[in-house]
Structures are given as C-alpha cells and as structure tokens.
Amino acid sequence: MIEIKNLHANIEGKEILKGLTLNVNAGEVHAIMGPNGAGKSTLANILAGREEYEITAGDITFDGVDLLALSTEERAREGLFLAFQYPVEIPGVSNVNFLRTALNEIREAKGEDPITAKEFMALVREKSKIVELDSKLASRSVNEGFSGGEKKRNEIFQMAMLNPKLAVLDETDSGLDIDALRIVAKGVNSLKSPENASIVITHYQRLLDHIVPDFVHVLYDGKIVKTGGKELALELEEKGYDWIKEEMQVS
Amino acid sequence: MEDVLKKNKLQTLREIFSPTSLPFSEGLLKKTRSVLEEKDLPTRKDENWKYTNLNGLKKLSFDKDMANEILENPFISEGSNRLLIKNGVVIDSTKTIEGVRTNWSDKTLPEVVGSGVMDALNVLHCTAAIEIEFSSGGKTKELELVFENSINTQSFPRLFIRCKKGCKGTVILNYQGTTENASFSNVSSFIDVEENANLTIHKIQKNGVNAFDLQREYVNQSANSTFTINTFCLSGKMTRNDLYIKVKGNNCETYMNGAYTLKGKSHCDNHTTVDHEVAHCYSKELYKGVVDGFATNVFNGKVFVRKDAQKINAFQSNANILLSETGTVNSKPELEIYADDVKCSHGSTTGQLDDEAVFYLRSRGLSEKAAKELLVKAFLGEVLEEIDHEEVRSYVEGQIELHFTA
C-alpha cells in the first residue's frame, strides 16, 4: 500500500528523518513507537503533505503513485487520512457541512456524483455511532469547545466518514482517559478491512492493547531501528527506550 | 486658459453633471450653491478623508447612449413592493405604492439637508427623490428599491424614509451595476425613526468594478425605537458610506452590521457615527470583511456618549482578514464618552486566515480555494447571522461564493 524508501527530511535546516524505510501492505496495522524527538510526528506530517518540511532524499509510493508529488488535498482524495495529534478548532464551520464538502470533493476527484443529502445524513448517523459521538456534536462547529476526548473521537468519526485506504493516527491516544481510549480504539478496529491499512503512532503501549498491531517499529533518531511483533511493544513498555539507544551506540 | 486655472477640482468635476430638474425651494438651492462656491473636494488633509482619495473622480466620463448590457433580474426580494431607479432616474413614476412618493410635480422637496460638499452636490444635481413612509394602517411593510446602473452615468438619489410612531418597516436599498460599469452614485438619505417604531434597512452595494458610490445616511431615533442597518459592500471601485445616527430618545436600540468582500483595486470606506444624546440606550456595531488583491478597506467607527447620557451600553467591533500581502486595512475605532455610568467597548482586529485550519481542511480533501472559502464564509457568518431577512441573507451568501469563483 505504501512504501517509504530511505526518507530524509529537514525542518528549518535541522535534519529530523535520516533514512527512514517502511512498507505497509493492505490489511495491516503498523505501530510506530519511539522516544520524544525521534521524528514520529514529522513522519505523520510529511505523509499528510505539510509544506514546512523539506525532503532531501528518498521517496514514498502510495498505491503506485508518487506521494511526494501530490498536494495535501490530492493525497486525501487518493485515500490518505491523518488523524491529528492536535485537531484544529474552526469556529463557524459546521462539522457536517465541512465533511459533506470534503466527501464531495473526494467523490468529484474520482468522477463520482455528489452524495445526496439523504444518503449523507444516513452516513453521519451510522458513522457517529461507531465512536459514540453525539449527533449534536456532528452539527456543531469543527472541534470548537470540544473536550480532548471529543476532539479525538471526532477525528475517528471523520475517518469513518471518509473511509480512507491508509489512516495515519498521530498520537491519537494522547490526552485520552481509559473510556475514550476504548471508544477510539473500537472505532479504529471496526474500520479495519483487508483493503485498508493503518499506521498508529504512539508513545505508550496502552493503545496497542486495544488496537492490536501486526508490526511494531521503533523510530529512533530519524530511522526505524527495530521491528517486531506486538510483543515488542510490551518489551518497550517494560524496559523503556534506553536499551535501544544503548544497542544503537554499540552497533 | 485663465478660466481653467481658476477652477478648482470640484468645479471642473461639476461640468459633466447635469443640473437637477427636481423642485427644490429657491432658498435651499441658493444656500447650497453658496456652500459649493467656497469649497473644493475633500482631500487627505481632511481627517474624515485621510485614507480615501477622491482624485479618481476626475477620470469619470459618462455615456450618452443606452446600454447594451442589462441586468436580468436585479431584485432580491420576492415582494410586490419594488421600485426601479435605472441610471439614476425613477422608472415609471406614475406607479403607486402606498406610502411611497416618487413624483414631485405638485410639491417641493423636503428642506432637510446634510453637511459637506457631497451632500451639496446631491442637491444641485439630484436625479431622483423618493419619499417612503411607514404609517399605521399602511399596507406597505417592506419595500425594495433597486438602483441599477447599466450605462456610465450620474445617479444622485435623495431618499426620505420615515417610520411613524409605533410602526414597523423594512427597506432594501439594492445598488446594482453592470460588471464594468463606471458610474458615479452620490446618495443622501434622511431617516426618521419615530417613537416606538422599528425600522430595518438592508443596503447592498454591488456596483460595477469601475463605479464610485458615495453615500450618506442621516438617522434620527426617537424614544423606544429600534433601528437596524445592514450594509454589504460587495463590489465597486470606490464605496464610501457615512452613517450618522443621532439617538435622541431614551430606551432606543441601534444595530449596525456590515460585511465587505474586496478584491482587485477596490476601495471601501465605512465611516459610522452613533451619537448617544440621552440615557438608557443600547447600540451594537459589527463590521467584518475580507480584503484580497490590492484592495483597501477603511473603517472608522465613532461612538459619542454625551454628558448625562447614563446607562448607555455601546459595543463596536471591526474585524478584517487580509487574503493577500498587498491588501490594506485602516481601522480606527473611536469612543468619546462624557458620561460616567456607561458600558462601552470597542475592538478592531486585522489578521490572516489560520494556516493550521486551512491545512486541516485540505488534509480532508478540500482544495485550498474551497478551504479558504469555507473559512471566509464562517468569518462573515457572524454578521450574516444577524440578518433576519431570508432573501437578503441568501443573496449575500451567494455573492460571497461568487466573489471566490469570479
């Protein structure tokens, strides 16, 4: 689904990614863990097309397309979705109005007809249930006055509405209590299918109790330094990242 | 040659205007002429014209022929009380709408005058005079006036609007021009809101991109009255509104809402004054707009609270979004308070669209243009929410969308 090869990226002259390589196939869930400053969010932002980053080497192929050549909106229309670590509050823009515009722009790019009002409302009802999001929240301004948990649930709601091929969840567990974490994880799990894939970026193992990954990668100093199964996450939780740093220094 | 040198800008400008054929009293005409003999056009040295330069007026030239482009349906409202003022002149002045006078064959015009050079020009070159009265038992509750300019011409209407004691009325003043129109509109309006009356004016200025539109409204509010004016400056080379509201009676409410969408080289200037002469009144002003291209917006909002006008609540806010690096905003809120038990606030902001919000929307598949349009609509939505007239609101919403596509 997505192939990231030897990716090097800078922001304001500082090199953050230093040769990151990652392959994700359809149907898989990949977790990316790592200490602060390793480049986890940078990876998420680059995938989504944030322009502040300069790609100095490497390439990304998404479903056969050169991802780096696409604008942010083109990536979204190709089926890439980023759940933000800090979802933005947009006063005056209603959640449903914005999602309908988004959905129709994606459909238009695919050469499909716009969704009817009736179909759309049915979809909103169906998908808001997945994340137990009050339908009132769906019609309020985007994230305005939402609690931390509501914001993250709204991200997953949007993901459910847009039905992406690849979802990148950037620290979706940060700021969530246990109940919200469970709801968010349930939402992500229910959207899982053999045709789509997710990359779950997280600090802590606890999210991975709920969203069980097929692979766990450790990102350290701009590179994937270790890859394993879900048990790697448990090991990291127990031992921290220091042993990885030490291993790195030894080698 | 000597003559040319002696003439000031105003006198030169006046040569292209036709004198009025409306029945003003001799006394008023004489007084007005003497005003113009002494004065010239305002310049940037005048505080009220510091950011708005009228030099462009000298390039005006008017058409003699009729237009080949016409506006299909310039009306906004569906109501039957609609009046067309085309290229400055009332069309079909024999048509009768209750409470509306457009024919002055048997009466001289009211003596009321404004101040300044533009108002004097309006008198001496007036092209149309319309009197509107909302009275008890009157059937007319709402009226739309369309001022359509399809040739480059002078349009100098003079409006007298009176909302009688205890009555309610709505007037839509809809200024429309063909796309490239280069007319000069110069409008003076005299508005009286009597005791317990409630008057709403919706003003739409959708002029041709080369048009000048200079307007003044002189409003008097009596006790327990409500006055609302919603101003939408949508297009035109230069739009200047001077709104003077004198609140003369207790327990009045005054609402001023404005929205503007500027691009290209258009220049828009809203000067508003609310003068609270007496106690126990409320006024609220909200003007918001977006400035793109090389456009300029000027806002000057003045609130006076006179001595002994206690318990006044007066709020004023102006917010601007610059969509380009070449747009300009000059915003000046002013409060002058001579009473000591009042609650007043004013604020002015000028900023850009939130980049994070644009990115967020784009990451969901919206194009950059659609994302910006959505954010601008949300920004102006605060003003539109104040508009209780469905047809006016949806017209303006449509125009905001067009502003982004055209």
Side-chain angles (χ1 to χ4, degrees), chain A residues 109-162:
Chain A
K110 287 183 185 159
E112 295 169 9
D113 287 335
I115 190 165
T116 67
K118 205 176 152 198
E119 284 169 339
F120 179 75
M121 286 323 290
L123 197 64
V124 167
R125 271 194 297 277
E126 182 197 332
K127 302 298 183 187
S128 55
K129 272 192 205 129
I130 295 177
V131 285
E132 300 173 28
L133 193 72
D134 194 322
S135 55
K136 277 188 209 118
L137 284 186
S139 55
R140 265 174 40 192
S141 286
V142 180
N143 295 323
E144 194 189 25
F146 285 28
S147 70
E150 283 167 348
K151 280 182 187 166
K152 295 299 173 81
R153 270 148 65 186
N154 193 23
E155 292 295 286
I156 307 304
F157 166 62
Q158 291 174 31
M159 173 179 154
M161 289 293 291
L162 302 178

Side-chain angles (χ1 to χ4, degrees), chain B residues 288-307:
Chain B
K288 289 180 104 171
V290 291
V291 179
D292 204 347
F294 291 84
T296 300
N297 182 60
V298 181
F299 174 82
N300 188 304
K302 228 181 242 181
V303 178
F304 287 106
V305 180
R306 301 290 176 185
K307 191 167 173 277

Side-chain angles (χ1 to χ4, degrees), chain A residues 76-93:
Chain A
R77 292 170 195 165
E78 287 290 322
L80 189 134
F81 181 90
L82 171 67
F84 281 55
Q85 182 176 5
Y86 304 109
V88 184
E89 295 194 15
I90 311 180
V93 175

Side-chain angles (χ1 to χ4, degrees), chain B residues 115-132:
Chain B
S115 54
V117 169
M118 287 304 154
D119 201 66
L121 276 182
N122 176 279
V123 170
L124 296 179
H125 303 280
C126 186
T127 59
I130 299 153
E131 191 176 51
I132 300 163

Side-chain angles (χ1 to χ4, degrees), chain B residues 80-83 95-101 140 142-143:
Chain B
S80 54
N81 295 322
R82 310 194 299 191
L83 191 66
K95 184 181 158 192
T96 52
I97 301 173
E98 198 191 319
V100 181
R101 173 192 283 272
T140 306
E142 183 180 311
L143 179 73

Side-chain angles (χ1 to χ4, degrees), chain A residues 160-177:
Chain A
M161 289 293 291
L162 302 178
N163 191 25
K165 281 190 269 187
L166 177 68
V168 181
L169 310 179
D170 186 10
E171 307 256 6
T172 296
D173 51 340
S174 71
L176 290 188
D177 61 31

Side-chain angles (χ1 to χ4, degrees), chain A residues 50-51 72-73 76-77 81-82 84 88 90-93 98 102 105-106 142-143 155 158, chain B residues 354 356-371 374-375 377-379:
Chain A
R50 213 183 264 273
E51 282 150 10
T72 297
E73 55 268 34
R77 292 170 195 165
F81 181 90
L82 171 67
F84 281 55
V88 184
I90 311 180
V93 175
F98 136 65
E105 293 228 11
I106 292 170
V142 180
N143 295 323
E155 292 295 286
Q158 291 174 31
Chain B
D354 179 1
E356 272 300 300
V358 174
F359 179 72
Y360 189 77
L361 295 173
R362 288 177 66 197
S363 80
R364 301 304 184 238
L366 271 73
S367 65
E368 189 169 352
K369 195 170 140 261
L374 204 58
L375 293 172
K377 273 200 237 166
F379 173 74

Side-chain angles (χ1 to χ4, degrees), chain B residues 149-329:
Chain B
N149 289 336
S150 54
I151 58 170
N152 299 339
T153 187
Q154 87 187 65
S155 172
F156 288 15
R158 203 162 174 81
L159 310 177
F160 308 96
I161 303 172
R162 178 175 292 274
C163 196
K164 303 275 275 187
K165 204 169 168 178
C167 295
K168 192 172 179 193
T170 301
V171 182
I172 302 170
L173 300 174
N174 181 4
Y175 297 85
Q176 296 279 335
T178 45
T179 325
E180 300 290 327
N181 191 268
S183 288
F184 180 25
S185 300
N186 176 19
V187 189
S188 294
S189 301
F190 302 91
I191 298 160
D192 280 297
V193 191
E194 294 187 357
E195 274 181 42
N196 294 301
N198 185 339
L199 178 68
T200 301
I201 291 179
H202 303 284
K203 187 162 100 166
I204 289 108
Q205 290 164 296
K206 172 92 184 97
N207 295 301
V209 292
N210 298 309
F212 289 80
D213 187 5
L214 312 181
Q215 306 205 6
R216 294 150 304 282
E217 284 105 13
Y218 301 95
V219 185
N220 288 317
Q221 264 188 276
S222 300
N224 309 311
S225 67
T226 302
F227 175 66
T228 306
I229 184 161
N230 304 317
T231 306
F232 302 101
C233 309
L234 302 171
S235 60
K237 181 172 189 154
M238 177 176 287
T239 308
R240 161 79 182 230
N241 295 310
D242 283 284
L243 172 62
Y244 303 96
I245 303 174
K246 273 186 181 295
V247 188
K248 295 179 158 178
N250 298 115
N251 302 313
C252 286
E253 291 178 30
T254 310
Y255 300 94
M256 295 150 280
N257 301 299
Y260 38 89
T261 52
L262 313 180
K263 63 180 174 185
K265 286 185 177 171
S266 68
H267 181 105
C268 175
D269 181 346
N270 281 290
H271 268 61
T272 68
T273 305
V274 185
D275 194 347
H276 285 291
E277 295 185 349
V278 294
H280 297 284
C281 290
Y282 176 85
S283 67
K284 183 168 174 268
E285 176 169 29
L286 176 67
Y287 273 66
K288 289 180 104 171
V290 291
V291 179
D292 204 347
F294 291 84
T296 300
N297 182 60
V298 181
F299 174 82
N300 188 304
K302 228 181 242 181
V303 178
F304 287 106
V305 180
R306 301 290 176 185
K307 191 167 173 277
D308 300 328
Q310 305 294 4
K311 306 285 181 192
I312 295 292
N313 285 324
F315 305 102
Q316 183 194 85
S317 168
N318 173 231
N320 301 281
I321 285 186
L322 283 167
L323 293 172
S324 69
E325 292 189 357
T326 44
T328 304
V329 171

